[in-house]
Amino acid sequence: MSEPPRFDRGHTDDLMSFLAASPTPYHAVANAAQRLEKAGFRQVAETDAWDATSGGKYVLRGGAIIAWYVPEGAEPHTPFRIVGAHTDSPNLRVKPRPDTGAHGWRQVAVEIYGGPLLNSWLDRDLGLAGRLTLRDGSTRLVNVDRPLLRVPQLAIHLDRNVTADGLKLDKQRHLQPVWGLADPVRDGDLIAFLEEEAGLDAGSVTGWDLMTHSVEAPAYLGRDRELVAGPRMDNLLSVHAGVAALAAAANRAAGLSYVPVLAAFDHEETGSQSDTGADGPLLGTVLERSVLARGGTVEDRARAFAGTVCLSSDTGHAVHPNYAERHDPTHHPRVNGGPILKVNVNNRYATDGSGRAVFAAACERAGVPFQSFVSNNSMPCGTTIGPITAARHGIRTVDIGTAILSMHSARELCGADDPHLLAKALVAFLASDS
C-alpha cells in the first residue's frame, strides 16, 4: 500500500478553484480582491487622497493588483517586504474586428498573446472571457465558461507529412477558432452574443479585452494524485500563494517592523511595458504614496526603499523525464521538492548571494525545502519581473517560484505538494519579523 499524499489538500483544492474562476487577469485580480476583502482589506482609489490609517489596503488597475498592510505604529521610513507575481498567461486574444469565417463556418479572429505552445490549443474545448467596456466608461467582466470555440486540427489524411516533418502552424491562418455555422458572417455577432451573456443592453459595449481559455477543470493526476494538471499555473499559482501569504501576514501584523505587500502585475508575458506591468510606474507610485500618507518625505522614501526586499515568484522548469539533456546536468528541480531559487549570472533573474540568504532563511523558518534552478548554458534563459523590479525601483529582489512541466501550454502540470510549500515560504517571508 502506497503512502497517502502529504500535501495540504485544502490549499491545493483552493488553488484549483482559484484557477478555474480566473480565466483572465481581470478575473484573477477580482478574485484576489474578494479574498483580501474577507481578510479585512479595503480598496482605495488612485484618484482619492490616501490617509495614514493602519490596516490592509489595495489598488486595482486593469489586470493588476497592489495590496499592502500597514502595521499599527509604522513609521514613514518603514521598509516593505514584497511578493511579486503576474496575472497574465499566453493565450489567444480577440481582435478588434472579431467576426470572420469562411466556407460556411463562423469563426473568431484572434491574435497570439505571449509565447503559447500553439499545438496545446488545438482540438480543445474553449470558453471566452474578459472585460467589456460600456458607453459610460464602466466595465463588466464576462465569462462564457462552457465549450464555445475550438481550433480544429487538420486531419492526417490531408497532411500526410505531419508525422515525418512535424506539425507546422501558421499563426495567422491556422489558429482561428470556429464557433458555429453562418453564411454570410455578420459584423457584430460576437459582441452581441456577449452582451446577451452578460445581461447587457444591445449596443452598450464599445470596447473589449477578450481571450480564450480551456474549459477543462483543474484535476489531480497520477496513481496517488500527487500531481495537479490545470491552466494558467504560470503564474496564478504564485498569485494565489501571495494572496494567502498577505492575508496571513495581516493576521499576524502586530509588531512587524515592515509593511508586507503583494504586487501582481499584468503583461509579464509580453515584456511588462504597460501601465499595469512591472516596468510601469504602478508599484513605485503605490509604495511612495504609502510613505507620504504616513507623513513621510523624499528622505523617508529613500530609506524605506533601501531596506525593502522583493521575492519575485514565478513558475520555473522541473526536470523533464523525456528531455533531461535540455536541463543543466547538476541542477534538476523536481516537482514536490519545494520552491525553486532561480539564478542567472547574466541578470535574467535578479537573485544574488545575499538574496539567496534571505530566501533560505524564510524556507528554514517555514520548515520548507527549496531547490536551485539554473539554465543549461547552451539554452537561452527566460526572465521574469524580478530584474525589472530591481532595476526600476532599486529594490533588492530575489527570483523564486515553483517547478512545473508544460510551461506555456493551455494546460500545465505541477506537484500537488508544491503550491502549499510555496505559500508556507511566502508566509514566513511576509509574516515573520526575523
Side-chain angles (χ1 to χ4, degrees), residues 38-391:
K38 290 180 179 179
F41 285 69
R42 63 182 176 88
Q43 184 175 2
V44 294
E46 293 184 81
T47 53
D48 291 344
W50 293 1
D51 57 40
T53 56
S54 58
K57 307 172 186 181
Y58 68 90
V59 165
L60 287 181
R61 185 193 288 183
I65 183 170
I66 310 292
W68 66 102
Y69 190 93
V70 180
E72 195 74 40
E75 299 286 346
H77 60 267
T78 299
F80 301 92
R81 283 196 186 177
I82 305 168
V83 170
H86 69 88
T87 61
D88 60 318
S89 302
N91 56 19
L92 312 178
R93 302 205 171 185
V94 175
K95 289 182 176 180
R97 294 188 62 185
D99 297 291
T100 187
H103 306 291
W105 291 99
R106 186 198 305 266
Q107 293 177 274
V108 175
V110 296
E111 190 173 4
I112 310 303
Y113 178 84
L117 289 172
L118 297 178
N119 62 292
S120 71
W121 291 87
L122 301 178
D123 295 330
R124 189 180 293 275
D125 294 340
L126 303 176
L128 192 63
R131 179 179 65 175
L132 302 174
T133 302
L134 311 186
R135 290 185 181 279
D136 62 3
S138 63
T139 59
R140 182 75 62 86
L141 297 185
V142 64
N143 182 12
V144 184
D145 194 29
R146 65 177 186 272
L148 179 68
L149 308 106
R150 184 180 181 90
V151 182
Q153 185 169 331
L154 185 64
I156 193 170
H157 313 80
L158 304 177
D159 190 8
R160 292 291 185 179
N161 295 326
V162 67
T163 54
D165 300 339
L167 179 65
K168 297 177 182 179
L169 295 172
D170 182 285
K171 293 180 180 180
Q172 179 62 38
R173 293 186 294 123
H174 299 153
L175 273 299
Q176 309 306 310
V178 300
W179 71 298
L181 302 174
D183 198 2
V185 172
R186 297 182 301 273
D187 283 341
D189 276 0
L190 181 69
I191 300 307
F193 164 77
L194 293 174
E195 287 173 335
E196 184 176 353
E197 287 286 315
L200 298 170
D201 293 335
S204 60
V205 172
T206 57
W208 51 87
D209 302 279
L210 300 166
M211 56 204 75
T212 60
H213 66 276
S214 170
V215 299
E216 186 179 2
Y220 290 108
L221 186 146
R223 187 191 68 174
D224 296 321
R225 304 203 312 160
E226 67 268 51
L227 302 170
V228 173
R232 300 176 295 281
M233 292 182 183
D234 179 13
N235 184 31
L236 294 187
L237 189 157
S238 294
V239 174
H240 176 263
V243 170
L246 183 59
N251 192 45
R252 309 177 193 177
L256 284 183
S257 59
Y258 51 85
V259 176
V261 179
L262 170 67
F265 301 101
D266 201 352
H267 303 130
E268 188 272 348
E269 299 292 357
T270 55
S272 296
Q273 292 184 324
S274 71
D275 69 323
T276 53
D279 204 18
L282 181 58
L283 176 61
T285 299
V286 169
L287 299 185
E288 182 174 29
R289 290 186 67 179
S290 177
V291 170
L292 297 177
R294 284 175 273 135
T297 63
V298 173
E299 181 73 9
D300 290 316
R301 177 200 179 280
R303 292 175 65 187
F305 278 43
T308 292
V309 183
C310 174
L311 293 187
S312 164
S313 182
D314 204 344
T315 54
H317 303 294
V319 61
H320 197 300
N322 298 336
Y323 300 91
E325 74 281 358
R326 305 293 180 96
H327 300 264
D328 182 84
T330 59
H331 295 78
H332 280 177
R334 298 189 176 191
V335 298
N336 289 335
I340 55 174
L341 180 76
K342 300 180 179 181
V343 178
N344 179 264
V345 296
N346 294 300
N347 290 326
R348 300 289 284 173
Y349 302 130
T351 307
D352 62 10
S354 64
R356 176 190 172 90
V358 169
F359 185 59
C363 289
E364 184 176 359
R365 290 194 299 272
V368 167
F370 75 92
Q371 312 172 80
S372 294
F373 171 83
V374 64
S375 290
N376 186 310
N377 286 331
S378 300
M379 297 281 177
C381 180
T383 190
T384 69
I385 65 167
I388 294 171
T389 303

Side-chain angles (χ1 to χ4, degrees), residues 386-400:
I388 294 171
T389 303
R392 183 170 183 84
H393 306 294
I395 290 172
R396 181 166 49 152
T397 304
V398 189
D399 271 299
I400 66 163

